[in-house]
Amino acid sequence: AQTVTQSQPEMSVQEAETVTLSCTYDTSESDYYLFWYKQPPSRQMILVIRQEAYKQQNATENRFSVNFQKAAKSFSLKISDSQLGDAAMYFCAYRSPQENQFYFGTGTSLTVIP
Amino acid sequence: DAGVTQSPTHLIKTRGQQVTLRCSPKSGHDTVSWYQQALGQGPQFIFQYYEEEERQRGNFPDRFSGHQFPNYSSELNVNALLLGDSALYLCASSLSLYADTQYFGPGTRLTVL
């Protein structure tokens, strides 16, 4: 089984500033997918960004980007120009193609301060 | 284009009862997965359905069972409810069995008293 660790239970950021959420994972697989999901108080998990392990280029989606360090098994999420609507729980997830399963971290609660 | 839908939104049951939760996948998706999310935790994989069969299963007891219908919708059944079954139950759908991305529904909040 794979494990995903998010060591920051809570983070805060001033509106318009930049924040980085950390995620590490443990796996013996060489090919896999990594995701960041956002879960606002409405509870719906929303896909923020995905990264394919075989791609060296870091994924970006508008204000969201990742720093993928495959050797270090690290996958952090950077949110630029933070907005009030970014406040939510953020979950890091790993997809194992061999097991065809997703594994989630315990989440980071992000507060955006006006 | 409708996303993943789940019903009901909330549910309250007592210990020992049985419950059925329902999920309709995103249009065009044929694979459904179910997750249990306890308070303050990340989602835990329960099982996955494709072509009306259970294809993968996480570490959950047999009290948790499911079904997938020909229209790809799915049900999650939990028998002999325990207090510890109180959680948010999330359904996720994907384009195919081995698609790398899942899309989630809003979840069903189950409270067991």
Side-chain angles (χ1 to χ4, degrees), chain A residues 14-38:
Chain A
Q14 293 281 349
E15 196 175 2
E17 297 296 310
T18 296
V19 64
T20 298
L21 308 184
S22 301
C23 172
T24 58
Y25 57 93
D26 187 24
T27 184
S28 58
E29 298 177 326
S30 59
D31 187 23
Y32 47 87
Y33 297 86
L34 296 164
F35 303 83
W36 279 97
Y37 281 90
K38 167 186 177 182

Side-chain angles (χ1 to χ4, degrees), chain A residues 1-18:
Chain A
Q2 328 302 325
T3 58
V4 178
T5 302
Q6 294 180 249
S7 59
Q8 305 156 317
E10 299 178 346
M11 292 282 286
S12 62
V13 62
Q14 293 281 349
E15 196 175 2
E17 297 296 310
T18 296

Side-chain angles (χ1 to χ4, degrees), chain B residues 40-55:
Chain B
Q41 300 295 317
Q44 296 288 317
F45 174 73
I46 302 175
F47 43 53
Q48 179 186 62
Y49 275 84
Y50 172 72
E51 291 189 338
E52 302 179 50
E53 291 185 6
E54 183 182 295
R55 297 300 180 132

Side-chain angles (χ1 to χ4, degrees), chain A residues 39 89 91 106, chain B residues 36-42 84-88 109:
Chain A
Q39 188 177 41
M89 282 291 287
F91 290 95
T106 52
Chain B
Q36 180 193 67
Q37 185 178 15
L39 197 61
Q41 300 295 317
D85 294 333
S86 295
L88 179 67
R109 171 72 67 189

Side-chain angles (χ1 to χ4, degrees), chain B residues 1-29:
Chain B
D1 178 23
V4 180
T5 60
Q6 291 185 244
S7 64
T9 304
H10 295 90
L11 207 50
I12 299 175
K13 293 286 187 179
T14 57
R15 282 179 297 174
Q17 285 190 312
Q18 179 264 344
V19 68
T20 298
L21 311 182
R22 296 176 176 82
C23 170
S24 291
K26 185 177 168 66
S27 178
H29 288 191

Side-chain angles (χ1 to χ4, degrees), chain A residues 13-16 84 111-114:
Chain A
V13 62
Q14 293 281 349
E15 196 175 2
L84 295 178
T111 299
V112 180
I113 303 167

